[in-house]
Amino acid sequence: MNALRAGAAVFDAGYYHAAHDVWEDAWLDAEGGDAALLQGLIQYAAAVHHARERNWEGCVGLSESARDYLADANPRGVNVPELRTYLAALATDPERVEREPPASIRVDGDRVGFEELSADEALAAAPALADELGDETVELGVEYAREDIAAGDETSVFVRFAIDFVTDPAHRAVIAQRLSEHADRRRRREEDVEGLF
C-alpha cells in the first residue's frame, strides 16, 4: 500500500491536510482492517489540521472517531497504540498542538522521510503535496507524470521531476520550477494541436 508510507512522510513533514488527501485516495479502494487504518489516519490528520486552525470542536470529534477507527485497524506496522493514546489526549486538550508536535506516524518502527520513499510512494504523495504547496503548474506536471506512467513511459521528464519534487525537499523549489516549465510547454503544445482542429 504505497499511500501508507507516502502519507506518513507527508504528515510528519507537517502537511496534515495533504496527508489526508494521500490516504483518502487509497481508502476509496481499501476494505476491512486496511480501510479502518486509512480512515483512522485520515481522521487523525484532519483532527490535527483542525486543532492547528483552532477549530477545537472539529478536532475533538475527529480525534474520538479516529480512535474508534484505529481500534479496528489492521496496523500494517503503524504505531497505532501510540496514535490512539495521543488522540485520547488531543480530544481532552486540543490546544496541545500549540505546545508540542503531534505524535509521529511510524511504519515498522521508523519515521518515514521523503527521501526514503520509493518511486511509487513518491508518486502517491506528489499530487497532494503539489496541491498543498499551491502551484497549479506543478500539479499539472504531476498529472502529466501519471499520464505518462499509464501510457507505459516510466522514465519521462515528468515522472523523474515528480518523484524528485517529493523525495528531494532541499531542492524542491528548483525542481518545482523545472517541472512547471516542462508542464507549461506541454500544455501549450497540446493547446496548439487542439487549435488545429
Side-chain angles (χ1 to χ4, degrees), residues 9 13 35 51 63 83 91 109 124 126 129-130 134 141 162:
S63 294
L83 298 180
L129 192 56

Side-chain angles (χ1 to χ4, degrees), residues 6 12 14 26 35 46 63 79 84 91-92 99 130 135 139 143-145 151 154 159 161 163 168 174 185 187 197:
D12 282 341
S63 294
N79 55 324
R84 291 189 76 236
T92 59
R99 298 187 304 275
D135 188 328
E139 288 181 62
E143 185 178 314
Y144 286 144
E154 297 183 5
V159 174
F161 277 134
I163 291 169
D168 189 359
V174 172
R185 280 196 294 275
R187 180 184 47 79
F197 298 99

Side-chain angles (χ1 to χ4, degrees), residues 50-128:
H50 281 293
R52 294 185 57 80
E53 296 292 315
R54 307 191 99 206
N55 175 355
W56 311 130
E57 187 177 328
C59 171
V60 169
L62 287 165
S63 294
E64 291 169 351
S65 64
R67 281 187 80 235
D68 292 342
Y69 278 108
L70 290 173
D72 297 327
N74 173 359
R76 288 219 177 232
V78 174
N79 55 324
V80 168
E82 182 183 343
L83 298 180
R84 291 189 76 236
T85 298
Y86 179 82
L87 284 161
L90 188 62
T92 59
D93 178 18
E95 293 181 42
R96 77 181 300 126
V97 298
E98 295 179 343
R99 298 187 304 275
E100 63 185 48
S104 290
I105 297 168
R106 291 189 310 281
V107 181
D108 297 326
D110 296 320
R111 195 170 171 187
V112 182
F114 286 125
E115 63 283 349
E116 297 156 355
L117 296 177
S118 71
D120 289 339
E121 291 165 344
L123 289 170

